[in-house]
Amino acid sequence: MSQAADSGLIHTFFNADIVRQTSPMVMEAVGQTIAIGVLVIVAGILLGTALATWRFHTQSRVLRALIVGYVDVLRAMPPLVILILVYFALPYVNISIGSVLATFLCLSVILSAFIEECVWSGIMTLPKGQMEAARSTGMSWWQSMRHVILPQALRLSLPQITNRCIAAIKNTALGSVIGFAEILGSAQAASSDYANPTPLTLCAILYIGLIYPLVLASRYLEHRAGIR
Amino acid sequence: MQKKIILEAVDIRKDYGDLRVLNGVDIRVREGELVSIIGPSGSGKSSLLRCCNLLERPTAGQIIFDGEDITRDTVNINRVRQNMGMVFQQFNLYPHLNVLANVSLALRCVGKLGKAEANAVAMEALTQVDMAHKRDAFPGQLSGGQQQRVGIARAVALNPKIILFDEPTSALDPELVSSVLAVMKSLRERGMTMLVVTHEMGFARDLSDRVIFMDGGVVAANDTPDVIFSSQGNERMRSFLSRFLNER
Ligand SMILES: Nc1ncnc2c1ncn2[C@@H]1O[C@H](COP(=O)(O)OP(=O)(O)OP(=O)(O)O)[C@@H](O)[C@H]1O
Ligand SMILES: [Mg+2]
């Protein structure tokens, strides 16, 4: 009896046949998801760091308020809402973008808001003397930022940055709503095609494979920073 | 014949909002001189020093450095600061960089030296402060005295015309003070021009060419250490000095 249940479980969730048949489709999605995930992380970190730097640099209260507003709004809105708005509303102003580009843009912008906040708090944590010491040696504001302030601010906020990057990768799944063939969407399609949830199991394993390297990389960087 | 004036503050005023912390300060430092600034807490010593390299903008007055009025808007302050080192009470080393990189960073960014060349200059400076053996250590692994000597090397490496010191030994445990003072003494013997805010009265008395006593945002006395420490000065200065002299 229990043997029958076991084989039923395996047949349903770990069906080798179905893995064989659906994996080409799902693996194609893995490629797309990795490509978009990497691009989102790169764009989000660059944009977020640039925004935090700008907020630190500017003397204009208006500009500072605009950056804070951007960050707060994007952090408050559910990513799915942003995605749907961008994808379905932009055509009305005669801008139409594909689902891949829409996913990339939305996730990058959302990630940039979170990264801005992480980097900003890192900058605020640093003693004022760091910038002063760098400036006192004749380094320009930008040079001081690049070589003294930002490396420390990024290091301080590395754990939060990693968390946000993981969230961004998981959010690629939202792309399926607007027809971007990423991992979860493809797995879902495959599992309904074959009336079997095995592709979803495969999908879970793939996400772990995707995200775990990120966790390891961040742990390695933290460890290296910790030695100092 | 008197040596040429390297740094001159002319009628410096500094306000923080409604609070006037410098009220018409004039000082002069000549080539090769060591000038000490002493005075009670809050008298504006740090503010004056920070006005000299424009970490703070003076509200009024001029800073003349090497014959040039650096308070004019057209002056490139980064170029000026390469020739005007500063050493901080809290050391302010870069914790993410090792000792060598702390000293060579500005040489590479500002002096536009290549890596090898910058490292060579940095090692020379580290040797002067007796820290060459710690080139690969990170600031967090050093004692306060060692950190401050690296801080001095960072300023020395740029080969400035003057170095400003803001209470370089005040954050140190007493037993570490002497190593830093020894380095400053050796710098003086090499002819480095120095402007030093300090609470080390022994240092001010024995090594200064002149001592400036600041009180309430003005220069209350400016004379040779002999005169300043012979208690001929005004009442405020005598009471300030007596506290230190009685400690001995
Ligand atoms: N950034 C600032 N904003 C407002 N007030 C300041 C600022 N920096 C200094 N002050 C005030 O200016 C006055 C002079 O400060 P300053 O640091 O120059 O004194 P100091 O002589 O160096 O004292 P200490 O011996 O304690 O270091 C103090 O009353 C201080 O509170
Ligand atoms: Mg001070």
Side-chain angles (χ1 to χ4, degrees):
Chain A
M1 182 69 202
S2 91
Q3 205 181 351
D6 274 359
S7 67
L9 181 78
I10 292 189
H11 180 81
T12 309
F13 288 96
F14 306 97
N15 190 318
D17 257 356
I18 294 201
V19 168
R20 210 168 305 124
Q21 285 166 324
T22 59
S23 59
M25 180 177 165
V26 176
M27 290 315 282
E28 195 179 322
V30 170
Q32 290 238 40
T33 306
I34 291 182
I36 291 297
V38 168
L39 286 176
V40 164
I41 288 178
V42 170
I45 290 181
L46 287 179
L47 183 56
T49 307
L51 284 171
T53 305
W54 201 12
R55 180 172 164 192
F56 189 47
H57 180 70
T58 184
Q59 303 293 322
S60 150
R61 280 178 187 210
V62 178
L63 193 53
R64 242 178 270 162
L66 283 176
I67 295 173
V68 173
Y70 169 94
V71 168
D72 287 351
V73 167
L74 283 170
R75 290 198 307 164
M77 293 228 286
L80 185 59
V81 174
I82 301 175
L83 194 61
I84 290 175
L85 277 180
V86 165
Y87 189 68
F88 294 108
L90 281 185
Y92 286 99
V93 289
N94 282 326
I95 306 172
S96 75
I97 53 176
S99 59
V100 179
L101 185 58
T103 308
F104 164 73
L105 285 180
C106 288
L107 295 186
S108 309
V109 162
I110 294 167
L111 181 61
S112 77
F114 283 98
I115 300 285
E116 193 281 340
E117 200 53 35
C118 298
V119 176
W120 174 257
S121 71
I123 292 175
M124 289 297 105
T125 309
L126 295 179
K128 250 182 85 197
Q130 288 292 307
M131 179 59 99
E132 289 180 351
R135 295 306 306 277
S136 79
T137 60
M139 286 163 70
S140 70
W141 190 89
W142 289 105
Q143 287 174 327
S144 310
M145 248 354 240
R146 166 145 178 254
H147 296 285
V148 175
I149 304 298
L150 285 179
Q152 294 187 65
L154 287 169
R155 232 167 263 207
L156 279 170
S157 49
L158 189 61
Q160 296 96 292
I161 290 179
T162 310
N163 285 341
R164 296 324 312 182
C165 290
I166 290 173
I169 292 202
K170 288 184 186 166
N171 279 345
T172 53
L174 298 175
S176 62
V177 173
I178 57 171
F180 166 36
E182 45 63 58
I183 299 178
L184 181 63
S186 313
Q188 245 169 349
S191 69
S192 64
D193 284 355
Y194 289 83
N196 181 294
T198 299
L200 292 174
T201 312
L202 183 62
C203 163
I205 295 170
L206 289 170
Y207 271 115
I208 294 175
L210 224 58
I211 285 168
Y212 205 61
L214 212 65
V215 175
L216 288 181
S218 128
R219 204 166 284 161
Y220 168 74
L221 286 175
E222 268 171 62
H223 170 74
R224 244 189 35 181
I227 296 174
R228 294 163 186 191
Chain B
M1 201 195 85
Q2 283 199 304
K3 288 255 177 67
K4 134 176 162 200
I5 297 170
I6 292 283
L7 181 68
E8 183 172 14
V10 184
D11 200 17
I12 294 295
R13 266 198 303 127
K14 176 70 191 174
D15 300 338
Y16 290 111
D18 289 338
L19 180 69
R20 174 151 303 175
V21 296
L22 296 175
N23 194 3
V25 173
D26 294 277
I27 61 167
R28 281 180 178 182
V29 184
R30 290 175 189 276
E31 205 166 32
E33 266 188 337
L34 192 161
V35 175
S36 294
I37 303 178
I38 60 174
S41 181
S43 56
K45 307 181 295 295
S46 299
S47 301
L48 175 61
L49 215 59
R50 295 161 56 81
C51 280
C52 286
N53 68 354
L54 301 195
L55 279 182
E56 299 287 356
R57 279 256 156 207
T59 309
Q62 282 127 39
I63 304 290
I64 317 285
F65 176 62
D66 205 17
E68 183 186 15
D69 178 359
I70 62 171
T71 36
R72 282 175 310 136
D73 285 338
T74 50
V75 169
N76 177 354
I77 189 59
N78 297 326
R79 177 180 55 72
V80 171
R81 286 187 184 136
Q82 290 169 48
N83 292 313
M84 183 157 24
M86 186 162 207
V87 174
F88 299 85
Q89 181 173 357
Q90 299 298 338
F91 329 133
N92 295 351
L93 296 185
Y94 315 129
H96 62 301
L97 299 178
N98 69 18
V99 163
L100 186 62
N102 261 275
V103 179
S104 63
L105 180 62
L107 293 167
R108 299 184 63 183
C109 286
V110 175
K112 300 285 171 232
L113 299 185
K115 186 170 182 166
E117 220 178 330
N119 285 349
V121 175
M123 282 309 288
E124 211 174 297
L126 285 170
T127 307
Q128 278 193 46
V129 301
D130 198 18
M131 284 298 294
H133 61 294
K134 291 285 189 187
R135 53 178 286 175
D136 295 321
F138 285 88
Q141 301 167 326
L142 302 178
S143 75
Q146 291 175 323
Q147 289 190 53
Q148 191 58 296
R149 276 144 62 197
V150 174
I152 294 173
R154 177 169 66 185
V156 166
L158 288 161
N159 194 20
K161 297 196 165 114
I162 184 171
I163 301 181
L164 315 172
F165 293 79
D166 192 0
E167 301 196 28
T169 58
S170 294
L172 298 178
D173 292 336
E175 70 271 19
L176 300 175
V177 168
S178 61
S179 72
V180 170
L181 293 183
V183 164
M184 292 171 67
K185 188 173 173 205
S186 85
L187 274 184
R188 169 167 171 57
E189 281 156 8
R190 277 167 223 250
M192 178 61 77
T193 311
M194 303 198 261
L195 181 58
V196 185
V197 172
T198 185
H199 286 301
E200 291 292 326
M201 291 304 138
F203 175 86
R205 184 182 50 203
D206 300 339
L207 290 173
S208 308
D209 294 288
R210 263 175 320 107
V211 175
I212 291 171
F213 176 72
M214 285 192 65
D215 192 18
V218 298
V219 172
N222 177 354
D223 220 316
T224 61
D226 289 346
V227 175
I228 295 274
F229 288 94
S230 64
S231 34
Q232 312 166 343
N234 63 32
E235 182 57 36
R236 272 290 273 165
M237 190 161 93
R238 272 205 306 264
S239 81
F240 173 75
L241 286 176
S242 68
R243 259 187 297 139
F244 288 96
L245 299 177
N246 288 343
E247 276 170 21
R248 272 146 228 283

